């Protein structure tokens, strides 16, 4: 049952991502950009043929295959052993959803549609799927460091007894 719920969540997040991108293509591409909050953030249509921050530009085929491998690995990790929902499970589910959203763009458009541009810092234009992947990866990394720290502390406490 958990796998079905996970797939539904992934499908809903991918649908939200793709719906936003369709709206961006239909309404934002013709005008280019739209300020949301002056000097803070605007919507700006961009076609990204690379990965995060424009790296691997024009390597769409490589990125598509690499992303597909990571998505399959993530799904396998979630589904192959009996798991309970925990922080790790949620992070990997969100990473898979974001990766799948951008993979759909690469395969069917040849580029990823980006549209969120922060103006208060020099930063790349990004999208909803990027937020899912990036925030989940950062949260997961912090959680893993905390988990290792907690285990080391616990082990140290057991050695002094």
């Amino acid at each position: 049952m958990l796998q079905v719920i996970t797939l539904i969540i992934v499908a809903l997040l991918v649908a939200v991502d793709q719906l936003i991108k369709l709206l961006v293509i239909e309404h934002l591409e013709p005008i280019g950009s739209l300020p949301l909050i002056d000097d803070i953030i605007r919507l700006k249509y961009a076609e990204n043929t690379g990965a995060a921050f424009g790296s691997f530009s024009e390597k769409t085929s490589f990125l598509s295959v690499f992303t597909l491998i990571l998505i399959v690995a993530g799904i396998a990790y979630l589904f192959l052993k009996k798991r309970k929902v925990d922080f790790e499970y949620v992070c990997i589910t969100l990473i898979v959803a974001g990766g799948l959203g951008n993979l759909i763009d690469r395969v069917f458009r040849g580029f990823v549609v980006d549209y969120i541009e922060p103006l208060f810092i020099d930063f790349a234009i990004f999208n909803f799927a990027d937020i899912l992947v990036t925030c989940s990866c950062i949260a997961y990394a912090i959680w893993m460091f905390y988990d290792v720290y907690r285990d080391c502390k616990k082990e140290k406490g057991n050695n002094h007894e």
Side-chain angles (χ1 to χ4, degrees):
M1 184 65 176
L2 180 58
Q3 287 91 356
V4 172
I5 293 169
T6 301
L7 289 175
I8 290 170
I9 290 169
V10 168
L12 287 172
L13 290 170
V14 170
V16 167
D17 174 65
Q18 290 300 303
L19 177 62
I20 293 169
K21 289 173 179 173
L22 286 173
L23 291 170
V24 164
I25 290 168
E26 185 176 324
H27 298 286
L28 189 60
E29 183 183 17
I31 62 171
S33 68
L34 178 69
L36 287 182
I37 303 171
D38 287 340
D39 299 324
I40 296 179
I41 194 164
R42 75 175 163 193
L43 298 179
K44 181 178 180 182
Y45 180 81
E47 297 176 358
N48 183 358
T49 59
F53 312 112
S55 59
F56 295 100
S57 194
E58 304 298 327
K59 304 284 186 206
T60 304
S61 297
F62 167 77
L63 289 170
S64 296
V65 171
F66 183 71
T67 302
L68 182 60
I69 291 168
L70 290 177
I71 290 168
V72 169
I75 290 171
Y77 183 76
L78 292 173
F79 290 4
L80 287 181
K81 63 181 194 175
K82 274 205 174 253
R83 302 193 50 84
K84 62 180 176 61
V85 174
D86 61 2
F87 192 75
E88 176 185 36
Y89 191 93
V90 171
C91 287
I92 293 172
T93 299
L94 297 177
I95 291 166
V96 166
L100 190 55
N102 281 341
L103 179 62
I104 289 169
D105 278 15
R106 284 191 188 99
V107 170
F108 293 103
R109 294 187 177 99
F111 57 86
V112 174
V113 175
D114 286 334
Y115 49 86
I116 301 169
E117 182 181 29
L119 301 172
F120 60 96
I121 56 171
D122 185 23
F123 198 75
I125 302 172
F126 56 94
N127 63 46
F128 177 71
D130 295 336
I131 293 169
L132 292 175
V133 172
T134 303
C135 292
S136 298
C137 283
I138 291 169
Y140 189 41
I142 292 168
W143 178 82
M144 285 192 307
F145 282 120
Y146 173 74
D147 198 43
V148 168
Y149 169 77
R150 190 181 62 213
D151 287 349
C152 288
K153 197 171 179 179
K154 195 183 302 179
E155 190 174 298
K156 226 181 206 182
N158 289 339
N159 289 338
H160 292 304
E161 292 176 8

